[in-house]
Amino acid sequence: MSNPAHDFHEEEDDQGEIFLDEDDIIRESTVDDEDLPDADDQSVDEPDDDDSMHTFTGHNGELYTVVCSPTDPTLVATGGGDDRGFLWRIGVGDYAFELQGHKDSVSSLSFSTDGLLLASGSLDGIIQIWDVANGVLKKTLEGPGGGIEWVRWHPRGHLVLAGSEDCTVWMWNADNGSYLNMFSGHGSNVSCGDFTPDGKTICTGSADATLRIWNPKSGENIHVIQGHPYHTAGLTCLAISSDSTLAYTGSEDGSIHIVNITTGKVVSSLSSHSDSVECVGLAPSSPWAATGSMDKKLVIWDLPSSSARATCEHEDGVTCLTWLGQSNYLATGCGDGKVRVWDSRSGDCVRTFSGHTETIQSLSVSANQEFLVSVSTDGTARVFEIAEYK
């Protein structure tokens, strides 16, 4: 598929070539070479190298979040600081559906597991539920007194969970818009959270340096994990094992701790980073984890031994990561505007994707694992082809 911008320039080039002979020359002038622009000079907005096969430019501000549909290989949702979200399609330059109605930055987007609904969370404290097939606003969910930090769906139903800057977590039924529960106890903004994959438990992390484990039905706070040997600064990211037994949390203090969800005990710690851990992801097909930090490092961990398998150096802080389908490859987003693909077995960088001019904020993989979509504070979303890394 082609970049629509490229198509536009090709049409301009189709006007035909114009030839001049000596009779057409009016005057010859000598020009100093230093006065000539370099052939590869580009405007500030145009990257020198662009490896993307599609660029979405519908936003007019910084982008913060991207998510690909779990069922439709070309459908993507993006949100940003222009208070707008968009649904758009990879390779289709003239299609975009605007998610209208938010009054502040769209900070989080999430598709339901079946791909039928999309939740958009905003710093205005509102969550909107969109019918994806019909492109209509289905429900507006209210309650939190602060901005929405993240939105997640129950793995097997249309229940929505959201964490807020006002220290609370809320749960609704997205089909009828009804409020189901509010989870209160954190002492600062709730920075990360999710249902366990079995849907029976909720885990939430906060800037108050605690992890809380909840019963979704009763709202009961089952465990509070805090103090030594847990984090000493706010939690930034969370991943939960596929068997719903372990929570992996990263923090501003540079540490990663592993918590037994049933007992509430810290069972292991991963120590290597020297700055805030921004992202954590569990390998889908091996007992490994990956963590990215502002210390410019991606670390691949062997979980049985709690030891680092590989340390992958970057030019700037690592802001986000995602494993590529069921493969041994993963991608990182970085403060230098680059998206890098890594082989977790060797720790080698096998591909660097250029195109963005500012920090990468979020990454998502298409349902068919053929495309990687990134969003940046440069105001664009870019699509890179990753079929060879399946």
Side-chain angles (χ1 to χ4, degrees):
M1 297 180 185
S2 62
N3 187 321
H6 294 170
D7 293 342
F8 174 74
H9 291 304
E10 286 170 8
E11 288 174 14
E12 285 190 322
D13 294 339
D14 287 340
Q15 302 303 313
E17 298 184 38
I18 299 173
F19 297 93
L20 298 175
D21 57 34
E22 290 188 8
D23 295 334
D24 296 315
I25 297 174
I26 299 172
R27 186 183 72 229
E28 291 186 7
S29 300
T30 303
V31 179
D32 191 323
D33 286 346
E34 291 183 3
D35 295 332
L36 292 171
D38 291 335
D40 58 355
D41 273 358
Q42 307 225 11
S43 69
V44 175
D45 295 327
E46 289 293 327
D48 291 336
D49 300 304
D50 188 359
D51 299 314
S52 62
M53 56 77 66
H54 182 114
T55 303
F56 180 74
T57 57
H59 291 273
N60 54 23
E62 297 183 345
L63 269 68
Y64 301 137
T65 180
V66 59
V67 62
C68 293
S69 164
T71 55
D72 185 329
T74 66
L75 191 62
V76 182
T78 50
D82 59 359
D83 306 349
R84 297 189 297 172
F86 280 99
L87 275 170
W88 50 275
R89 290 193 175 279
I90 295 171
V92 183
D94 58 355
Y95 172 83
F97 172 75
E98 184 176 347
L99 310 175
Q100 297 179 328
H102 285 298
K103 303 293 191 294
D104 206 335
S105 298
V106 176
S107 52
S108 182
L109 293 162
S110 183
F111 282 98
S112 58
T113 309
D114 57 17
L116 297 178
L117 300 177
L118 173 69
S120 60
S122 168
L123 296 184
D124 62 11
I126 301 295
I127 292 168
Q128 294 181 329
I129 306 297
W130 301 87
D131 182 322
V132 173
N134 299 314
V136 297
L137 178 62
K138 184 180 172 75
K139 298 292 177 184
T140 298
L141 309 177
E142 302 182 65
I148 303 300
E149 292 270 350
W150 50 268
V151 180
R152 296 290 184 272
W153 290 87
H154 191 277
R156 285 183 300 279
H158 287 172
L159 303 183
V160 176
L161 188 70
S164 172
E165 291 176 330
D166 74 350
C167 314
T168 62
V169 180
W170 293 67
M171 186 171 69
W172 301 265
N173 180 319
D175 286 326
N176 59 24
S178 63
Y179 156 84
L180 297 177
N181 236 325
M182 192 265 283
F183 308 89
S184 180
H186 282 298
S188 188
N189 60 300
V190 187
S191 49
C192 51
D194 207 345
F195 291 101
T196 52
D198 64 11
K200 297 178 180 178
T201 309
I202 292 169
C203 300
T204 59
S206 168
D208 67 7
T210 71
L211 175 72
R212 288 178 180 260
I213 297 169
W214 311 84
N215 180 316
K217 290 185 178 179
S218 67
E220 177 194 358
N221 190 177
I222 304 167
H223 296 295
V224 182
I225 299 89
Q226 61 185 341
H228 185 78
Y230 201 54
H231 298 295
T232 58
L235 275 66
T236 55
C237 51
L238 165 75
I240 301 173
S241 61
S242 58
D243 63 3
S244 302
T245 62
L246 299 172
Y248 300 76
T249 55
S251 166
E252 295 171 357
D253 65 12
S255 66
I256 301 102
H257 292 300
I258 306 172
V259 174
N260 182 305
I261 293 172
T262 303
T263 66
K265 302 295 183 184
V266 177
V267 295
S268 187
S269 300
L270 307 176
S271 300
S272 175
H273 291 295
S274 59
D275 204 340
S276 178
V277 176
E278 296 296 299
C279 44
V280 57
L282 303 179
S285 52
S286 56
W288 301 344
T291 55
S293 167
M294 294 310 291
D295 66 5
K296 306 181 182 180
K297 294 182 176 70
L298 163 74
V299 179
I300 311 293
W301 302 89
D302 177 75
L303 295 176
S305 64
S306 296
S307 61
R309 284 181 48 85
T311 299
C312 309
E313 302 283 348
H314 290 66
E315 297 296 316
D316 206 332
V318 180
T319 54
C320 48
L321 67 82
T322 182
W323 289 87
L324 305 184
Q326 297 296 309
S327 76
N328 289 303
Y329 296 99
L330 71 158
T332 55
C334 183
D336 66 358
K338 298 289 193 291
V339 176
R340 295 174 175 86
V341 178
W342 304 85
D343 186 334
S344 64
R345 295 162 296 189
S346 65
D348 293 335
C349 180
V350 296
R351 185 70 195 269
T352 299
F353 289 117
S354 298
H356 289 291
T357 57
E358 294 181 23
T359 300
I360 309 299
Q361 294 280 38
S362 181
L363 295 168
S364 187
V365 179
S366 65
N368 59 4
Q369 280 94 56
E370 292 186 5
F371 304 105
L372 176 65
V373 188
S374 56
V375 296
S376 165
T377 53
D378 68 9
T380 68
R382 294 179 185 271
V383 183
F384 303 101
E385 295 179 88
I386 55 166
E388 63 188 289
Y389 305 112
K390 281 188 178 183

